[in-house]
Amino acid sequence: ENGPKWAVFNVGVTDGKPESYGGYFAQIGDTEVPQWGNKWRMPDEAELLALLNSEKCTATWVGDFNGVKGLLCTGKVGTIYAGNRVFFPAAGSTYDGNPQSDVNDICKYRGSYTRYLYFGEGNQFVSTATYMWAGYSVRAVLKEQ
């Protein structure tokens, strides 16, 4: 086993690039990612927390990943995450469908059961979403086959 298989790019991306923002989604369900069919699901709390666990991954704020700021998570040698890396662009958020001024500064990624990953330069955590109508990015995880 080598940890969860994260999608290469966000839900809503049309160019297949990991640095593209994709769509913004209100809470779309507990585990399903309807836009991608039944092979993908929302990340659970443990998977979100593992990204920020310094024993499993190195989470680094990147100022220029193909011109985009974001969080780069790299699995550590000797863990089930070794050799894996995933980039989460700082796509900002929307509230009631209106873009906020936080694009390229912070991002919130939805997980299952109202959990979300928040990050900005020097500040990353997993919490419970209080604004269910707010639009956050979604990065899917492949369901176990």
Side-chain angles (χ1 to χ4, degrees), residues 17-19 62-69 87:
K17 295 179 180 178
E19 67 271 18
V62 177
D64 185 2
F65 185 95
N66 297 328
V68 177
K69 293 178 184 178
F87 177 74

Side-chain angles (χ1 to χ4, degrees), residues 81-93:
Y81 303 98
N84 294 333
R85 77 179 211 165
V86 60
F87 177 74
F88 295 87
S93 59

Side-chain angles (χ1 to χ4, degrees), residues 5 9 16-17 32 64 93 106 117 140:
K5 169 75 171 142
F9 48 84
K17 295 179 180 178
E32 299 300 315
D64 185 2
S93 59
I106 66 159
L117 169 68

Side-chain angles (χ1 to χ4, degrees), residues 95 108 110 114-116 127-134 136:
Y95 289 92
K108 296 176 181 177
R110 290 222 180 263
T114 74
R115 297 292 184 223
Y116 73 95
S127 188
T128 301
T130 55
Y131 303 108
M132 304 312 291
W133 64 90
Y136 298 166

Side-chain angles (χ1 to χ4, degrees), residues 32-41 142-145:
E32 299 300 315
V33 181
Q35 295 84 349
W36 285 10
N38 63 5
K39 290 186 178 183
W40 296 90
R41 63 174 174 77
L142 189 65
K143 288 183 179 179
E144 292 182 20
Q145 302 297 315

Side-chain angles (χ1 to χ4, degrees), residues 67-81:
V68 177
K69 293 178 184 178
L71 190 70
L72 180 62
C73 299
T74 306
K76 289 195 172 179
V77 175
T79 70
I80 63 171
Y81 303 98

